């Protein structure tokens, strides 16, 4: 018995010591409370439609983004960082679940009444972090659905962020251009007046309510395509809404509102490990800078709201700093998809763009299978822990799940998520070897420097937004190392590479394009 105990102690003690040492090792740069190592805070700053070239650190010169540039120059600036999709809902779904969006057939651009995309039993980053003692919060754009299909906006709205792992949520349901145009805090519409209940419908208008289509004289911003339904604050939106007057947001105050909520969350939770998903609404349409920023960029409202977003990021970082949290917080900054100028309103985005290149020389933009659709600014910053560098490693937002799990010793359960923690921390340059790219339910494949886009029917270009979509009746094959702007299609001249790429693609994606042997490769 006694001998047994000694034997067990001999086995267990070194393990315990080892765990203790490795724990201390891991957190040696972190804030210590009463000598107890704490886990680092994690903040994801996520912009909406910010393009690869919209940031100074990524080459913008006309547009000034000093705060994002500071994160880039003090952290790892990724040049091959990807959103999971070229539109919002699928990217956001994939970010939180670590699962490719094409695995979920509902993961498309959602209306404001669409049900929640995440299944009850599905692992998410905030759920995983909660198991490791984190307090979790989201402030900003949600857009991955709410409820089960029949939302009553006048009662508690669920399931939503709280049900998939967020302790605190202050969100807009979908997009700034979609109804309902109200904030929702932990499932409740903020400032809801029960005598003026909210009704939302995406098919039929409510009798007597004005619309952008029928009442253009009521608009302060005119719609260009889509966006001709209910008028709220002089802007017509997608979808119909009635009631809830007191609860409606003021578009020009949205940036300040989200910033204050994000700052408040940090102040409230600063003494515990926290995770904050700060999802800014800029520069998505409608672009409504606060008057402090109107005209600030010289590029019209699109530029102005990027300047505004940059300012918000600077203010947010000051909050971390003033509470002594900078050295104990990993900040990840990225965007949900690539850039678009005219996305449905006459807001001078095209006219005032000047020589600014939102896509930073990449082909395509939002909605596109070409690089600008999904390759976005991607920065990791951790004062005192991450050495400044530029990384060409391929990383996807899908990989945040496994990488953050690795950081906090949590369980990595995102089915497509790779643990690239060392890459994100700038100590390894071994990124992904392959990645499925997605744009509006079409997929393509990147492996090494090569991108293969299978044939797709449909227009080559979306004329409304003036963006090449990547559709072509033939296979496309590009070498990004020698041809970053994707101008030379090598599908014919490199049949072996095409064949290998297609086989690898079909292995992940499922055989969709017929048996490889039957392909006519000349
Ligand atoms: C499109 C909208 C566009 C934008 C987009 C979603 C029209 C014609 N266009 O359907 O304006 O709202 O959806 O953008 O209505 S995203 O960044 O949230 O994916
Ligand atoms: Ca978006």
């Amino acid at each position: 018995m006694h001998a047994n105990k000694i034997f067990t102690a001999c086995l267990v003690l070194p393990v315990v010591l080892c765990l203790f040492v490795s724990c201390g090792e891991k957190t040696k740069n972190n804030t210590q409370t009463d000598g107890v190592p704490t886990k680092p805070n994690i903040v994801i700053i996520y912009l909406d439609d910010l393009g690869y070239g919209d940031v100074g650190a990524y080459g913008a010169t006309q547009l000034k983004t000093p705060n994002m540039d500071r994160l880039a120059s003090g952290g790892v600036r990724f040049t091959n960082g990807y959103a999971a999709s070229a539109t919002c809902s699928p990217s956001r779904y994939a970010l939180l679940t670590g699962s490719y969006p094409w695995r979920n057939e509902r993961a498309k651009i959602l209306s404001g009444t669409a049900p929640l995309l995440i299944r009850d039993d599905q692992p998410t980053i905030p759920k995983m972090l909660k198991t490791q003692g984190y307090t979790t919060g989201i402030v900003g754009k949600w857009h991955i659905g709410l409820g089960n299909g029949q939302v009553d906006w006048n009662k508690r709205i669920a399931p939503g962020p709280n049900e998939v792992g967020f302790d605190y949520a202050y969100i807009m349901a979908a997009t700034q251009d979609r109804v309902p145009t109200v904030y929702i805090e932990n499932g409740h519409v903020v400032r809801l007046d029960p005598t003026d209940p909210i009704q939302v419908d995406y098919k039929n208008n409510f009798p007597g309510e004005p619309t952008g289509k029928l009442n253009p004289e009521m608009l302060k911003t005119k719609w260009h395509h889509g966006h001709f339904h209910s008028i709220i604050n002089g802007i017509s939106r997608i979808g119909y809404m009635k009631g809830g007057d007191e609860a409606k947001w003021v578009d020009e105050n949205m940036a300040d509102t989200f910033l204050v909520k994000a700052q408040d969350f940090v102040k409230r939770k600063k003494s515990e490990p926290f995770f904050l998903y700060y999802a800014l609404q800029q520069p998505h349409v409608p672009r409504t800078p606060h008057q402090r920023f109107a005209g600030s960029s010289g590029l019209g409202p699109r530029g102005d709201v990027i300047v505004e977003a940059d300012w918000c990021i600077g203010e947010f970082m000051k909050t971390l700093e003033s509470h002594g949290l900078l050295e104990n917080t990993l900040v990840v900054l990225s965007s949900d998809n690539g850039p678009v100028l005219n996305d449905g309103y006459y807001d001078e985005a095209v006219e005032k763009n000047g020589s600014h290149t939102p896509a930073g020389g990449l082909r395509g933009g939002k909605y596109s299978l070409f690089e600008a659709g999904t390759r976005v600014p991607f920065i990791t910053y951790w004062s005192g822990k991450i050495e400044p560098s530029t990384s060409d490693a391929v990383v996807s937002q899908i990989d945040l799940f496994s990488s953050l799990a690795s950081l906090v010793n949590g369980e990595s359960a995102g089915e497509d998520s790779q643990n690239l923690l060392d890459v994100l921390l700038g100590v390894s340059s071994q990124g992904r070897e392959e990645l499925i790219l997605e744009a509006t339910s079409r997929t393509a494949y990147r492996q090494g420097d090569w991108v293969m886009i299978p044939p797709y029917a449909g227009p080559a270009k979306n004329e409304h937004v003036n963006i090449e979509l990547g559709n072509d009746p033939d296979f496309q094959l590009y070498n990004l190392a020698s041809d970053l702007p994707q101008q030379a299609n090598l599908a014919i001249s490199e049949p072996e590479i095409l064949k290998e790429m297609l086989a690898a693609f079909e292995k992940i994606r499922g055989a969709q394009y017929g048996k490889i042997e039957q392909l006519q490769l000349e």
Side-chain angles (χ1 to χ4, degrees):
M1 206 50 178
H2 185 66
N4 253 351
K5 268 190 185 155
I6 292 175
F7 179 62
T8 311
C10 284
L11 276 180
V12 170
L13 200 64
V15 175
V16 170
L17 276 176
C18 182
L19 276 178
F20 184 77
V21 169
S22 88
C23 229
E25 193 57 28
K26 272 209 174 111
T27 53
K28 70 181 174 208
N29 289 315
N30 302 349
T31 308
Q32 313 266 317
T33 317
D34 303 331
V36 180
T38 59
K39 303 213 175 199
N41 307 308
I42 299 163
V43 176
I44 298 177
I45 300 177
Y46 208 50
L47 290 103
D48 193 0
D49 298 1
L50 186 76
Y52 189 78
D54 278 326
V55 179
Y58 285 82
T61 51
Q62 279 188 292
L63 198 51
K64 306 293 178 213
T65 57
N67 294 298
M68 287 191 259
D69 297 351
R70 205 166 296 131
L71 294 179
S73 64
V76 187
R77 183 184 69 96
F78 288 94
T79 61
N80 284 274
Y82 286 87
S85 176
T87 56
C88 172
S89 309
S91 285
R92 287 163 199 260
Y93 165 80
L95 168 84
L96 290 180
T97 61
S99 177
Y100 276 130
W102 44 265
R103 292 195 194 281
N104 181 343
E105 59 181 24
R106 292 194 294 120
K108 306 183 186 342
I109 298 175
L110 298 184
S111 75
T113 49
L116 179 63
L117 286 179
I118 301 176
R119 294 188 319 269
D120 252 14
D121 60 345
Q122 202 169 348
T124 65
I125 291 179
K127 277 188 201 168
M128 176 275 292
L129 291 173
K130 271 167 72 72
T131 67
Q132 300 305 305
Y134 279 74
T135 297
T136 57
I138 169 172
V139 172
K141 177 174 178 174
W142 179 241
H143 207 195
I144 51 173
L146 290 169
N148 290 318
Q150 289 298 326
V151 171
D152 181 344
W153 302 92
N154 307 291
K155 297 194 174 134
R156 179 149 195 283
I157 301 154
N162 299 128
E163 286 68 32
V164 301
F166 288 103
D167 296 310
Y168 176 73
Y170 191 97
I171 59 165
M172 69 161 145
T175 59
Q176 203 187 328
D177 56 352
R178 282 175 174 76
V179 297
T181 54
V182 294
Y183 299 117
I184 301 166
E185 188 169 33
N186 294 327
H188 296 283
V189 169
V190 177
R191 294 188 306 272
L192 178 67
D193 173 358
T195 65
D196 183 24
I198 295 176
Q199 290 171 274
V200 176
D201 196 316
Y202 269 72
K203 284 207 181 86
N204 302 306
N205 193 12
F206 300 97
E209 296 294 307
T211 64
K213 194 169 199 167
L214 299 175
N215 308 87
E217 74 288 352
M218 291 175 65
L219 300 176
K220 66 179 181 193
T221 303
K222 294 211 181 316
W223 56 274
H224 177 272
H225 57 279
H227 307 96
F228 46 69
H229 305 128
S230 287
I231 301 173
I232 291 137
N233 306 335
I235 303 169
S236 49
R237 321 273 166 157
I238 306 172
Y240 301 103
M241 173 177 175
K242 186 180 158 86
D245 270 349
E246 274 301 301
K248 285 175 184 165
W249 65 49
V250 176
D251 294 270
E252 290 76 5
N253 292 343
M254 185 176 281
D256 287 342
T257 304
F258 285 149
L259 171 62
V260 168
K261 293 293 168 188
Q263 290 171 316
D264 285 352
F265 178 81
V266 168
K267 289 177 200 163
R268 279 201 310 278
K269 304 298 176 189
K270 64 182 179 197
S271 56
E272 38 199 312
F274 65 79
F275 166 60
L276 175 65
Y277 174 31
Y278 177 22
L280 289 80
Q281 87 281 12
Q282 304 103 324
H284 195 284
V285 296
R287 292 143 183 157
T288 52
H290 189 273
Q291 65 180 35
R292 306 194 305 283
F293 296 96
S296 61
S297 69
L299 300 181
R302 182 173 188 277
D304 297 346
V305 297
I306 293 176
V307 171
E308 179 186 67
D310 186 72
W311 176 84
C312 291
I313 292 163
E315 292 303 298
F316 179 79
M317 292 306 295
K318 277 188 210 161
T319 303
L320 291 182
E321 189 172 14
S322 66
H323 289 88
L325 298 168
L326 269 192
E327 313 246 300
N328 193 31
T329 304
L330 167 64
V331 178
V332 180
L333 181 144
S334 200
S335 171
D336 66 342
N337 54 252
V340 55
L341 291 178
N342 181 343
D343 205 15
Y345 293 99
Y346 286 98
D347 63 2
E348 299 188 299
V350 175
E351 294 78 358
K352 295 207 166 155
N353 186 54
S355 59
H356 174 60
T357 51
L362 303 176
R363 188 168 179 183
K366 182 175 179 177
Y367 312 110
S368 179
L369 265 182
F370 291 124
E371 285 296 286
T374 49
R375 199 194 290 211
V376 285
F378 196 127
I379 299 164
T380 54
Y381 177 91
W382 185 347
S383 179
K385 174 90 175 177
I386 291 181
E387 292 288 330
S389 66
T390 291
S391 174
D392 297 333
V394 174
V395 293
S396 166
Q397 290 162 13
I398 294 183
D399 302 321
L400 289 171
F401 194 144
S402 291
S403 307
L404 295 178
S406 166
L407 177 69
V408 306
N409 299 320
E411 193 189 338
S412 150
E415 61 189 309
D416 300 301
S417 186
Q418 295 186 7
N419 174 6
L420 299 180
L421 181 62
D422 286 346
V423 180
L424 296 181
L425 297 181
V427 293
S428 164
S429 55
Q430 294 299 304
R432 275 181 170 265
E433 283 168 10
E434 61 178 4
L435 178 67
I436 303 281
L437 310 173
E438 188 198 285
T440 53
S441 305
R442 298 158 300 147
T443 49
Y445 180 64
R446 174 164 181 179
Q447 188 188 76
D449 289 327
W450 293 91
V451 167
M452 186 274 303
I453 305 179
Y456 285 108
K461 194 175 186 180
N462 177 331
E463 297 292 345
H464 281 314
V465 296
N466 192 24
I467 289 173
E468 288 184 291
L469 298 173
N471 296 328
D472 194 290
D474 296 317
F475 277 91
Q476 298 177 74
L477 182 68
Y478 299 100
N479 185 330
L480 299 174
S482 57
D483 177 26
L484 187 58
Q486 298 182 292
Q487 295 299 308
N489 181 1
L490 305 179
I492 304 279
S493 58
E494 298 286 358
E496 286 310 314
I497 294 177
L498 177 58
K499 213 168 165 179
E500 276 171 38
M501 295 278 290
L502 185 59
F505 173 68
E506 289 193 335
K507 212 169 148 202
I508 306 175
R509 200 59 192 85
Q512 288 200 310
Y513 301 94
K515 287 220 162 63
I516 297 157
E517 310 87 68
Q518 289 167 9
L519 264 177
Q520 300 295 308
L521 298 177
E522 283 148 44

